[in-house]
Amino acid sequence: MKINRRQLLNLTLFATTAIIIKNLQQNSNQDTLWANELKPQIYKSKNGLLEVELIAQETPVNIDGKTAYLLTYNGQIPAPRLEAIAGDKVKIKFTNKLAQPTNIHYHGLHISPTGNADNAFLEIQPNQTFNYEFTIPDNHPSMTAWYHPHLHGYTAQQLSGGLAGLFIIKGELDDIPEINSAKEEFIVLQDFPLDNNGRLTDSRMMSLMMGREGDVITVNGEIKPQISLNKGEWLRLRILNASTSRFYNLSLDDNPFYLIATDGGAIASPQEMTRLLLTPGQRAEIMIKGENKQSSLKLINLPYNRGGMGMMGNRMMGGGMMGRRNNNSSQILATINLNQSNQNNQSVSLPNQLNTITALPSPNQVRSFTLNHGMANGMAFLINGKSYNHQRIDTEVKLNTVEEWELINTGIMDHPFHIHVNSFQVISRNDIPENLLAWRDTVLVKRGERVKIRIRFDDFTGKTVYHCHILDHEDLGMMGNLQINSVGVNSE
Ligand code: C2O
Ligand code: CU
Ligand code: CU
């Protein structure tokens, strides 16, 4: 039988339609698999208790209409947002359904580093459940903290897979009427190294040394989301850099915005700025005014060069992963659409005072920490010439004392230095006194730079860590054990 042209066309049409229908069916099946299509989970404490169940596992996730196989808590990218207030008890029933051991670190929280609390030394095996339990101290400052895995050797891989969520402590800053009346949005910045099949790519040694960066940059698991804001009103953005290594050099297209909080909570008064560099681990809260003259504002990530392995590295990588390290193109991260509002918004101005911050006094003890890389069983990242050793105590301090630490970067890459449990104040950078008095837990130490910080060890004794928050560097050895002893105990 001969098929004429028309019949052929019909047949083709039929076949094409069948394929389209089949694809639609597949897509709708797929949709039901995408756990992150559900509303983002928010857990708030009730009657002094925050009770949460978290499950870590590999999950197919919808990133910009494509399936990505990421590592999630409760299927969500970013992970559920937890909210508590000072004095609350926190109970987290955590189950590890990953193929590797893991644990959870509560980055920024001033809680015990031992037992069932912020214990970075726990190793929770696959299929094991662990009950975290701790109390947020009564005098805990309000802050934008977060949680992520922290098992040495696995941290970078698990964080870059997506395991990160906000842990908000509500309090004083939120009670200021001008801040409270602003629209509030949360921005979790994550980048994923994905192949064409949506699988996380294995990072090669050179990219690990630089710190892995993913090409898929997401804001709350979305690509270039839209935020709406009424003209005349204020937007409060709480921003977290949850990327493993990528720095975000944020701008609002040169429009001014106002910094109100750093890692450890509110600063004394709003600071006008047009650029905000956020290293991995850092948080900032900014206020943005919906001005009348514009219809939208773009949140942009500007290029930033965080150093590198030099000529040899560039040649070895042939412009592959390494070529992208300088972040040398800008990206739009999100768009803020400004709407005419029907209310007559008499726009409020920001208060002059947000918080009282007392400068830490002269130190009882001074130490220095040199950050560099070198050889120790192969390529390693070092603090004071040593690569991390689980057993070794690197630094012993006394409870209730103030120390001044000089962080000296003699290498060719920038390192964001992070300390667990207690926030610190930056005193100077290359001997230039720091103007902004602020509580931080992560500070950028640029290549060739010397940064002095002061820290007081309050409330909690026990063993914890400090490390570079380019988590590949941490996994490659740039971490030290910090033992906080009670006064009177002297094992030095
Ligand atoms: Cu967010 Cu020890 O890290
Ligand atoms: Cu931390
Ligand atoms: Cu580093």
Side-chain angles (χ1 to χ4, degrees):
M1 191 186 95
K2 246 183 127 186
I3 300 175
N4 68 27
R5 218 183 115 80
R6 171 152 221 118
Q7 282 169 318
L8 182 66
L9 197 66
N10 281 341
L11 261 177
T12 319
L13 259 178
F14 174 77
T16 314
T17 314
I19 289 167
I20 290 170
I21 289 171
K22 191 150 179 284
N23 277 343
L24 280 174
Q25 281 168 340
Q26 269 176 352
N27 278 339
S28 63
N29 284 340
Q30 196 122 55
D31 279 345
T32 61
L33 286 175
W34 285 336
N36 66 324
E37 304 277 275
L38 306 168
K39 274 224 144 122
Q41 287 174 350
I42 301 164
Y43 291 96
K44 300 186 184 194
S45 59
K46 279 188 211 88
N47 305 322
L49 176 65
L50 175 67
E51 201 164 15
V52 184
E53 199 174 333
L54 292 177
I55 299 170
Q57 61 185 355
E58 195 191 78
T59 316
V61 171
N62 173 6
I63 301 287
D64 208 26
K66 291 186 210 105
T67 302
Y69 298 87
L70 300 180
L71 308 180
T72 68
Y73 293 113
N74 296 6
Q76 305 235 311
I77 296 288
R81 185 169 89 226
L82 312 183
E83 291 190 11
I85 60 169
D88 280 346
K89 190 166 189 134
V90 179
K91 289 185 178 181
I92 296 174
K93 182 183 176 197
F94 171 64
T95 302
N96 177 14
K97 290 195 179 160
L98 303 173
Q100 308 170 329
T102 187
N103 63 23
I104 302 179
H105 164 51
Y106 303 93
H107 180 140
L109 293 190
H110 181 59
I111 55 175
S112 167
T114 61
N116 292 23
D118 187 24
N119 186 342
F121 304 98
L122 288 170
E123 212 169 298
I124 301 166
Q125 298 303 323
N127 293 315
Q128 197 185 333
T129 294
F130 184 85
N131 292 302
Y132 283 98
E133 205 173 315
F134 50 86
T135 302
I136 312 287
D138 287 325
N139 59 354
H140 199 288
S142 58
M143 66 161 69
T144 302
W146 64 300
Y147 62 101
H148 64 81
H150 212 292
L151 186 57
H152 180 66
Y154 299 95
T155 312
Q157 191 189 345
Q158 294 178 0
L159 187 90
S160 72
L163 292 164
L166 286 166
F167 200 133
I168 304 291
I169 306 295
K170 290 257 183 190
E172 326 77 66
L173 182 58
D174 311 277
D175 294 338
I176 297 174
E178 297 91 330
I179 305 295
N180 189 274
S181 62
K183 179 170 189 189
E184 186 179 33
E185 293 282 353
F186 301 81
I187 300 272
V188 179
L189 299 168
Q190 291 171 293
D191 60 339
F192 300 109
L194 295 171
D195 66 15
N196 292 334
N197 300 316
R199 299 277 172 188
L200 292 162
T201 54
D202 278 334
S203 292
R204 287 168 294 172
M205 197 52 191
M206 284 305 283
S207 76
L208 295 188
M209 291 193 303
M210 264 317 293
R212 70 190 84 186
E213 290 190 7
D215 286 338
V216 182
I217 300 178
T218 62
V219 173
N220 303 329
E222 291 178 56
I223 291 175
K224 299 194 183 80
Q226 313 265 331
I227 296 168
S228 66
L229 176 66
N230 286 337
K231 290 186 176 183
E233 291 180 7
W234 287 95
L235 174 66
R236 174 188 187 183
L237 284 187
R238 299 190 188 240
I239 311 172
L240 158 66
N241 181 352
S243 284
T244 315
S245 317
R246 185 181 288 276
F247 288 28
Y248 294 87
N249 190 10
L250 302 171
S251 110
L252 268 183
D253 229 354
D254 286 333
N255 290 291
F257 53 87
Y258 302 84
L259 182 73
I260 57 164
T262 49
D263 303 326
I267 54 176
S269 59
Q271 298 289 310
E272 183 178 325
M273 47 177 65
T274 53
R275 292 273 186 290
L276 174 67
L277 182 65
L278 266 196
T279 73
Q282 287 183 323
R283 291 87 66 210
E285 296 181 34
I286 62 172
M287 300 294 290
I288 297 169
K289 178 82 178 290
E291 299 284 7
N292 256 314
K293 46 186 198 286
Q294 286 132 323
S295 59
S296 72
L297 288 166
K298 297 210 179 317
L299 182 64
I300 294 171
N301 181 23
L302 296 171
Y304 179 80
N305 183 347
R306 58 185 178 87
M309 303 299 287
M311 283 299 289
M312 187 186 75
N314 279 328
R315 231 180 272 138
M316 278 167 68
M317 292 302 290
M321 284 300 283
M322 290 290 288
R324 291 193 284 264
R325 78 189 184 282
N326 290 340
N327 236 343
N328 46 20
S329 62
S330 301
Q331 303 103 18
I332 296 172
L333 296 174
T335 304
I336 301 161
N337 294 312
L338 300 173
N339 311 315
Q340 208 64 59
S341 94
N342 24 22
Q343 288 127 301
N344 193 4
N345 289 310
Q346 271 304 26
S347 64
V348 293
S349 46
L350 293 177
N352 274 327
Q353 175 154 22
L354 301 165
N355 193 9
T356 321
I357 301 183
T358 315
L360 286 171
S362 302
N364 304 89
Q365 175 80 251
V366 176
R367 298 175 203 270
S368 70
F369 297 83
T370 299
L371 314 175
N372 205 338
H373 44 79
M375 290 299 183
N377 309 314
M379 183 71 182
F381 283 80
L382 312 170
I383 300 179
N384 289 340
K386 291 174 186 156
S387 170
Y388 183 69
N389 176 339
H390 195 96
Q391 308 300 333
R392 188 183 64 223
I393 299 292
D394 297 278
T395 306
E396 265 186 283
V397 302
K398 287 197 189 82
L399 192 67
N400 297 326
T401 61
V402 175
E403 296 208 354
E404 185 167 282
W405 289 10
E406 187 171 27
L407 313 169
I408 307 164
N409 184 345
T410 56
I412 53 169
M413 272 180 256
D414 292 359
H415 298 293
F417 190 87
H418 169 54
I419 309 175
H420 287 208
V421 186
N422 293 284
S423 292
F424 54 76
Q425 296 174 352
V426 176
I427 302 302
S428 66
R429 303 184 202 239
N430 285 340
D431 293 324
I432 299 165
E434 178 87 344
N435 284 323
L436 182 67
L437 189 57
W439 291 109
R440 302 179 187 276
D441 56 50
T442 308
V443 63
L444 174 60
V445 189
K446 293 181 188 163
R447 47 200 188 276
E449 197 176 34
R450 287 173 297 115
V451 175
K452 277 187 190 154
I453 61 170
R454 279 184 195 168
I455 181 168
R456 186 173 52 220
F457 302 97
D458 282 327
D459 303 312
F460 304 105
T461 55
K463 185 172 134 190
T464 187
V465 293
Y466 50 81
H467 59 89
C468 176
H469 218 291
I470 290 177
L471 292 172
D472 282 305
H473 295 173
E474 176 266 304
D475 281 338
L476 291 170
M478 197 174 265
M479 178 153 77
N481 285 327
L482 170 67
Q483 173 73 40
I484 307 171
N485 294 319
S486 57
V487 189
V489 175
N490 193 346
S491 49
E492 279 168 272

